Amino acid sequence: MTANSVLKSLIVATLVLCVGCAFAQVPTQTGKIEILWLGQSATRITTVTGKVIVIDPFLTQNPKTPPQYKNLDALGKVDLILVTHAHNDHLGDGVELAKRNKAQLWGPAGLDQSLQTLGALPPELAPRMNKGGTITPLGPDIKITMVQASHSSEFVWKNPDTGKDETYPGGEPGGFIIEFENGFKLYHMGDTALFSDMKFIAEYYKPDLIMIPIGGHFVMNPKDAAYATNQFLKPKFAIPIHYGTFPQLKGTPQEYQQALGSTATKVFPINPGDKLTF
Ligand SMILES: [Zn+2]
């Protein structure tokens, strides 16, 4: 090989490499966990190694979701969808999001069974799990456990043949404990009343951050949520959610903080569209 041809080969190799790097899907590795809250319970989480998990994706019909996130593509690539229960302000755009991203939608077994039976999602995109189960669909370093919630989970589906709403069983409602690659643990509580096993959940799973419903009427009010935080859960961090979306959900983060009083928990009263990193 002459010096000239070596040089030519090097140039070609460099070009090929550069084309490769421009199109490679390199996940963002920040070393941190990013939480983007989108109103009600809707949350997009980017994990330490750049995996994207969306919980309770009620977006296009959510009055509190910022306009730029009404377009489902604005979420970027979604690797996994978690749904705490079947109510429309939680399942929301989950089916559409699962189809678009070919991403699994994990929820209470009864909800995923109904989605399968109705033909809303194929079985491979609607796998079944239940409370106490731990799944690792994103690899062994991210562990997702479904825990108890005190709520209901019926499921309203528009029959495409009649155009009429029909009600189906949506399994039992839950919350999710997610343990990330670095050991940090989030407890997304879903919709729930105050119940004393929150104390057990905290002792057993030791969550660092809770996302806790405070709106009242269908879930805990600020006083209940403050009791749960101070007496049962005692997390390092708390993000109040599920308030202000509908007229019945009257509780406010200010009332929650007032009811908490002096506490070791750092509360983030963020707005829909805000991001936090941990
Ligand atoms: Zn609900």
Side-chain angles (χ1 to χ4, degrees):
M1 221 183 226
T2 64
N4 202 11
S5 65
V6 168
L7 189 62
K8 271 185 192 161
S9 312
L10 271 175
I11 290 168
V12 169
T14 311
L15 278 173
V16 168
L17 270 177
C18 284
V19 169
C21 54
F23 289 98
Q25 292 271 333
V26 182
T28 354
Q29 296 211 9
T30 57
K32 296 211 168 195
I33 295 142
E34 182 194 86
I35 307 277
L36 165 65
W37 182 52
L38 292 167
Q40 197 72 337
S41 290
T43 309
R44 185 189 73 183
I45 301 160
T46 309
T47 77
V48 178
T49 56
K51 302 271 180 7
V52 176
I53 303 171
V54 179
I55 305 182
D56 287 354
F58 172 51
L59 301 167
T60 55
Q61 305 299 314
N62 183 342
K64 290 288 178 182
T65 298
Q68 68 268 33
Y69 290 104
K70 299 275 183 181
N71 169 7
L72 296 180
D73 291 332
L75 290 173
K77 151 212 84 130
V78 173
D79 296 303
L80 190 75
I81 301 151
L82 301 175
V83 176
T84 58
H85 64 291
H87 292 159
N88 191 46
D89 56 325
H90 296 261
L91 176 60
D93 300 292
V95 167
E96 177 57 29
L97 212 51
K99 285 189 200 159
R100 258 177 212 229
N101 289 278
K102 295 191 173 46
Q104 290 182 328
L105 182 155
W106 289 86
L111 167 61
D112 284 68
Q113 185 60 61
S114 287
L115 291 173
Q116 287 184 27
T117 308
L118 291 164
L121 283 177
E124 63 272 20
L125 292 187
R128 300 168 68 247
M129 75 178 298
N130 224 320
K131 286 175 280 190
T134 298
I135 55 167
T136 55
L138 298 175
D141 295 338
I142 301 173
K143 301 177 192 77
I144 301 164
T145 304
M146 187 183 283
V147 294
Q148 187 186 344
S150 180
H151 193 65
S152 64
S153 184
E154 71 283 359
F155 172 50
V156 179
W157 182 251
K158 194 179 282 302
N159 183 325
D161 296 333
T162 63
K164 287 190 181 150
D165 282 346
E166 295 171 357
T167 304
Y168 293 93
E172 289 203 8
F176 288 106
I177 306 268
I178 307 177
E179 182 177 349
F180 296 98
E181 299 93 326
N182 58 3
F184 187 89
K185 288 183 191 170
L186 162 69
Y187 175 19
H188 189 295
M189 301 179 72
D191 277 6
T192 187
L194 186 59
F195 61 94
S196 58
D197 271 356
M198 285 177 188
K199 190 169 188 294
F200 155 74
I201 291 170
E203 274 172 16
Y204 195 65
Y205 296 104
K206 299 181 175 58
D208 298 287
L209 164 67
I210 58 170
M211 296 187 77
I212 183 165
I214 64 157
H217 193 92
F218 295 107
V219 294
M220 291 185 285
N221 65 26
K223 188 170 157 243
D224 302 333
Y227 189 92
T229 307
N230 278 340
Q231 305 299 322
F232 293 157
L233 297 164
K234 301 175 184 170
K236 292 190 197 85
F237 312 109
I239 301 174
I241 59 170
H242 208 278
Y243 62 88
T245 319
F246 305 117
Q248 301 102 321
L249 305 178
K250 290 187 170 59
T252 65
Q254 291 70 33
E255 290 169 330
Y256 172 55
Q257 282 180 289
Q258 241 165 34
L260 279 169
S262 105
T263 177
T265 300
K266 179 159 177 46
V267 178
F268 295 98
I270 57 175
N271 294 307
D274 286 350
K275 290 175 186 171
L276 292 171
T277 53
F278 293 92

